[in-house]
Amino acid sequence: MKSIILIAPPSAGKGTISKILCEEYHLPHISTGDLLRSSILNDDEQGNYIKQQMNLGNLVSDDIIISLVENRIMDNDCMNGYILDGFPRNLKQAKQYDEFIVKNNIMMGFVVLLDINREEAQKRILGRVSCPNCGAVFNLYSNDTRPRIAGLCDRCGSDLTRREDDNSEAFDIRFSTYLKETKPVVDYYESKGLLYKVNSSNPLSQVLEQVEKIIRREND
Ligand code: ADP
């Protein structure tokens, strides 16, 4: 199975789609957002720095991210492929990742862009809630992903919470950062012929169908 890099503006559904695909194709899910949120729990100097940057909507330093991702990919369960969610997020990370895979004889795989416009992304951010226990993500404004019982996780019944960086001020910064830092990564992979684009403003079921079609084609 080839590895998949999922790139998207904030709230385009990267996390939700990755989790579904990982279960379906038995691939490990490497989410830099989740890795960073776990690092915050350490409550040390680095954890506090990460928390501050994330809550402001800024990117966390490349050195921290690259070491988290590279360490995770070296784990045994990543030997047959993985889904990268949230990385690479700027050109430095993309080029560093290229070097890392060459050095370690890892296959590149392919890249899927989940595209969404700013207005739709903002609406989704303000409706997003997630489960601190099992990581499931829901959206109050979507017929597809609204929790069945308000405030409770469909999967495990825990109370749902809102991410600290899901507010309009942090969203503005995250979206501008996406355009400035991550859009060049999209262009980079497009120029290498590795990029597929999916319209992520569509309902989740349609987005998923499109992504699965691409995965099947790539693995034929
Ligand atoms: P979203 O894509 O909705 O913004 P993520 O969970 O992917 O959510 O990321 C949340 C935050 O984590 C980002 O706003 C950023 O502060 C930090 N982050 C995640 N991935 C990276 C990365 N590759 N490089 C730098 N910072 C990152």
Side-chain angles (χ1 to χ4, degrees):
M1 186 81 191
K2 288 186 184 171
S3 290
I4 306 166
I5 294 179
L6 272 178
I7 300 188
S11 89
K14 230 169 4 87
T16 307
I17 299 274
S18 313
K19 284 198 184 89
I20 298 172
L21 296 177
C22 287
E23 276 179 29
E24 207 170 304
Y25 295 97
H26 307 289
L27 289 174
H29 177 202
I30 307 182
S31 152
T32 43
D34 288 349
L35 289 172
L36 291 170
R37 280 182 282 276
S38 309
S39 305
I40 290 177
L41 301 177
N42 292 341
D43 199 20
D44 53 12
E45 202 181 322
Q46 179 163 307
N48 292 336
Y49 156 77
I50 293 173
K51 182 173 181 181
Q52 192 190 27
Q53 293 303 305
M54 288 179 84
N55 287 351
L56 288 171
N58 293 331
L59 292 188
V60 170
S61 87
D62 293 328
D63 291 347
I64 294 179
I65 294 288
I66 288 163
S67 114
L68 281 173
V69 171
E70 292 187 355
N71 283 331
R72 180 65 186 92
I73 293 177
M74 295 316 279
D75 287 342
N76 279 342
D77 64 333
C78 293
M79 265 171 55
N80 297 317
Y82 42 83
I83 295 191
L84 267 180
D85 157 4
F87 178 91
R89 226 168 172 110
N90 60 25
L91 270 182
K92 181 171 174 203
Q93 293 178 12
K95 291 187 176 161
Q96 187 95 20
Y97 181 66
D98 282 349
E99 279 176 29
F100 170 76
I101 59 174
V102 169
K103 201 164 90 198
N104 291 285
N105 230 345
I106 296 170
M107 200 167 54
M108 174 60 203
F110 57 99
V111 183
V112 177
L113 168 68
L114 300 177
D115 215 1
I116 190 171
N117 65 40
R118 194 180 187 290
E119 289 67 37
E120 181 66 23
Q122 186 171 31
K123 197 175 100 193
R124 288 193 188 175
I125 282 278
L126 302 179
R128 175 156 72 180
V129 285
S130 62
C131 176
N133 183 42
C134 72
V137 181
F138 304 90
N139 203 294
L140 307 177
Y141 302 136
S142 150
N143 292 336
D144 276 349
T145 59
R146 188 180 294 129
R148 280 196 292 270
I149 303 172
L152 294 183
C153 177
D154 287 4
R155 274 210 227 152
C156 72
S158 303
D159 285 336
L160 296 172
T161 55
R162 198 177 278 279
R163 266 171 48 176
E164 280 190 54
D165 56 346
D166 278 351
N167 59 67
S168 35
E169 293 76 24
F171 169 79
D172 286 343
I173 299 175
R174 281 155 71 195
F175 204 87
S176 311
T177 305
Y178 170 78
L179 294 178
K180 186 163 160 262
E181 302 279 346
T182 312
K183 185 65 182 43
V185 177
V186 172
D187 300 340
Y188 176 70
Y189 286 129
E190 189 161 33
S191 72
K192 287 174 165 258
L194 293 169
L195 187 81
Y196 291 95
K197 289 184 192 168
V198 172
N199 180 359
S200 207
S201 304
N202 289 326
L204 178 66
S205 51
Q206 277 178 36
V207 177
L208 198 55
E209 200 179 303
Q210 290 288 307
V211 177
E212 284 178 335
K213 228 188 249 172
I214 297 166
I215 296 177
R216 279 196 296 274
R217 197 180 319 151
E218 275 288 337
N219 284 287
D220 263 352

